[in-house]
Amino acid sequence: LGTSPTSAYIESSTGVADRGRTGLTALTVAVLFIAAAFFSPLVGAVAGLSAITAPALIVVGSLMISNIAHINWRELDEAFSAFLIILSMPLTSSIATGIALGFISYPLLKIARGRWRDVPLLLYVLAVLFFLQLAFLPH
């Protein structure tokens, strides 16, 4: 339907954060995504304007800002990746791009610090996939 897999993940994690652990949350999100598909032509007509996405990013950012207290700011590999995500979301007007940059930078910084064993293999795979997406696919 033209949605980003990262956005679908964020919708899912939001439901889990609100204690929606049954299939009803996923079913509700699925029905809303299907309903949103009917508005695709209208959204497509104005989607190129950053003024359309900026308010949503501001609201999402303000909701996410409380989690900054849980970041270990004394560890560069942890702090820089989080900072890069926080900074790149509003500058690129894309939540997915911000998350992708975080997925790429985190394993790279762990490797640079010699702590590559702390990163699960799946995170390396995701970092490569996100890099390929940003480098070769239009966004």
Side-chain angles (χ1 to χ4, degrees), residues 15 20-32:
R21 303 198 195 287
T22 66
L24 186 59
T25 302
L27 186 62
T28 303
V29 171
V31 168
L32 292 173

Side-chain angles (χ1 to χ4, degrees), residues 20-97:
R21 303 198 195 287
T22 66
L24 186 59
T25 302
L27 186 62
T28 303
V29 171
V31 168
L32 292 173
F33 268 116
I34 290 169
F38 291 105
F39 294 100
S40 177
L42 175 65
V43 173
V46 294
L49 303 171
S50 61
I52 300 300
T53 56
L57 291 174
I58 291 169
V59 170
V60 168
S62 64
L63 293 171
M64 294 169 58
I65 204 76
S66 65
N67 291 318
I68 286 181
H70 303 294
I71 297 171
N72 185 0
W73 291 105
R74 294 175 189 207
E75 295 290 330
L76 178 67
D77 48 356
E78 304 280 334
F80 183 78
S81 296
F83 175 73
L84 185 62
I85 293 169
I86 294 166
L87 182 66
S88 63
M89 282 183 187
L91 293 179
T92 63
S93 296
S94 171
I95 295 170
T97 302

Side-chain angles (χ1 to χ4, degrees), residues 10 31 33 36 81 101 113 137:
I10 289 176
V31 168
F33 268 116
S81 296
L101 291 173
R113 294 203 57 200
L137 297 175

Side-chain angles (χ1 to χ4, degrees), residues 115-137:
R115 298 171 59 188
W116 59 272
R117 288 188 179 106
D118 295 346
V119 181
L121 178 62
L122 181 61
L123 200 54
Y124 286 114
V125 172
L126 289 173
V128 170
L129 292 174
F130 273 123
F131 175 78
L132 293 174
Q133 176 194 16
L134 292 177
F136 298 110
L137 297 175

